[in-house]
Amino acid sequence: MVAMFVCSTYSSAVRGQGNIRKSRTVSDRNSITRRIFVGASIAAIAIPAGRAGAQSGTAQSGTISGHVVYRERMALPPGAVVNVRLVDVSLADAPSRTLAETTVSAGTGSPIAYRLEYDPGEIKDRARYALQARITIGDQLLFINDTHHPFESGNSGEMEIQVVRAGGSDGAIQSPTGKWLAEDIQGGGVIDRIQTVLEISEDGAVSGSGGCNRFAGKATISGDTISFSPLVSTEMACSPAVMDQEQKFHAALVATKAFRIHPLERKLVLLDGAGKAIARFSAM
């Protein structure tokens, strides 16, 4: 009986140890499974995060390239530069807004390569954009574009900008005769997209545009004095801002008593009776 009891007790102990080992084995397996699951979850989260980081990198800038060209067969003087701008011309009665700009050496002349970088995020679907170019040396304007060069997002290939000779002559300007583009009227500047033009012929005939309406008249020039006769004008209606600029322009012509020429800058300044500058023009 004693022997049977001992054997039974020993067998129970052995079975108990076996159960303990089985329990530990199951627990270990569960622990390993949990570690694998957690590791896989972290990896699953980390991989998309890495991809998202790669996708959220800095946006690439857009590039416009091409040539600025003119028809004259001539070399440019040393130091001449080309300025190219991308501008927003959506509003007819407000100054254009420059989105991007670059200035490069003009080298010996046409064709002159340019490369302009801009932010594609600033290009809106319903807005209108254009390229503008001018060639200068110091403060002297040599060439400028006089036609519209539209730009649309997604344009491929090179964009050529045609410029024309400013002033039409090589020498310094000494006379108010010629074609002039207003840069400032009565200290208020001008609307960029609206060209206010004054043209004075050798015989004193005057014509041009106030920005909305064409006009004609006559100028009397003697030495450095000049006066304008009452002008005849068309009667079209434009936006209030354009009409306001045109009225100020006509008022400035009525008040003009003298002029001053800046030969190197190719500028014409009209003065009132007190010698105050009331309008400034650049040669076209």
Side-chain angles (χ1 to χ4, degrees):
M1 292 293 291
V2 173
M4 291 178 63
F5 174 78
V6 171
C7 289
S8 176
T9 302
Y10 176 78
S11 298
S12 298
V14 170
R15 285 196 300 271
Q17 290 178 357
N19 290 335
I20 291 173
R21 284 196 296 270
K22 289 180 180 179
S23 177
R24 287 178 178 175
T25 301
V26 171
S27 176
D28 291 343
R29 288 176 179 173
N30 290 338
S31 177
I32 293 171
T33 301
R34 283 196 298 272
R35 287 198 296 270
I36 293 173
F37 176 78
V38 171
S41 299
I42 293 173
I45 295 172
I47 291 173
R51 290 176 181 172
Q55 293 175 354
S56 61
T58 303
Q60 293 184 349
S61 62
T63 301
I64 308 169
S65 61
H67 292 84
V68 175
V69 299
Y70 53 81
R71 295 179 179 178
E72 289 82 352
R73 294 184 177 181
M74 58 173 287
L76 294 173
V81 297
V82 177
N83 177 264
V84 179
R85 296 190 301 162
L86 173 63
V87 296
D88 184 340
V89 294
S90 303
L91 301 178
D93 56 354
S96 60
R97 182 171 67 94
T98 300
L99 303 182
E101 181 175 7
T102 186
T103 300
V104 298
S105 171
T108 58
S110 180
I112 306 162
Y114 72 89
R115 180 183 176 88
L116 181 64
E117 293 188 353
Y118 67 97
D119 180 2
E122 292 198 55
I123 304 299
K124 310 303 179 185
D125 290 339
R126 297 185 179 181
R128 294 187 298 117
Y129 304 94
L131 290 173
Q132 298 178 351
R134 57 174 54 204
I135 303 175
T136 59
I137 180 167
D139 293 329
Q140 182 179 353
L141 178 65
L142 302 179
F143 289 85
I144 189 170
N145 67 286
D146 64 348
T147 56
H148 184 62
H149 292 78
F151 170 78
E152 295 181 2
S153 180
N155 278 7
S156 59
E158 294 191 344
M159 296 194 66
E160 182 178 280
I161 307 175
Q162 180 86 38
V163 293
V164 298
R165 194 82 175 272
S169 65
D170 294 325
I173 301 173
Q174 300 294 341
S175 168
T177 58
K179 192 173 184 179
W180 304 91
L181 177 65
E183 293 183 338
D184 181 81
I185 301 172
Q186 297 186 18
V190 293
I191 300 171
D192 284 352
R193 290 193 65 250
I194 303 301
Q195 289 196 337
T196 297
V197 177
L198 172 65
E199 188 168 4
I200 306 174
S201 301
E202 293 287 348
D203 61 359
V206 173
S207 61
S209 170
C212 180
N213 290 283
R214 299 286 304 174
F215 64 84
K218 192 169 182 65
T220 301
I221 304 170
S222 177
D224 61 355
T225 66
I226 184 172
S227 61
F228 296 91
S229 67
L231 302 176
V232 177
S233 174
T234 58
E235 297 182 352
M236 294 175 58
C238 294
S239 68
V242 175
M243 297 304 296
D244 179 65
Q245 176 171 303
E246 185 168 272
Q247 290 171 5
K248 289 179 179 178
F249 172 66
H250 284 287
L253 294 184
V254 171
T256 296
K257 301 299 180 184
F259 69 90
R260 183 170 64 242
I261 298 290
H262 295 282
L264 295 180
E265 293 86 356
R266 305 176 73 82
K267 308 286 186 184
L268 167 66
V269 179
L270 300 182
L271 311 172
D272 63 12
K276 178 184 176 182
I278 52 178
R280 184 180 71 249
F281 303 80
S282 62
M284 294 184 71

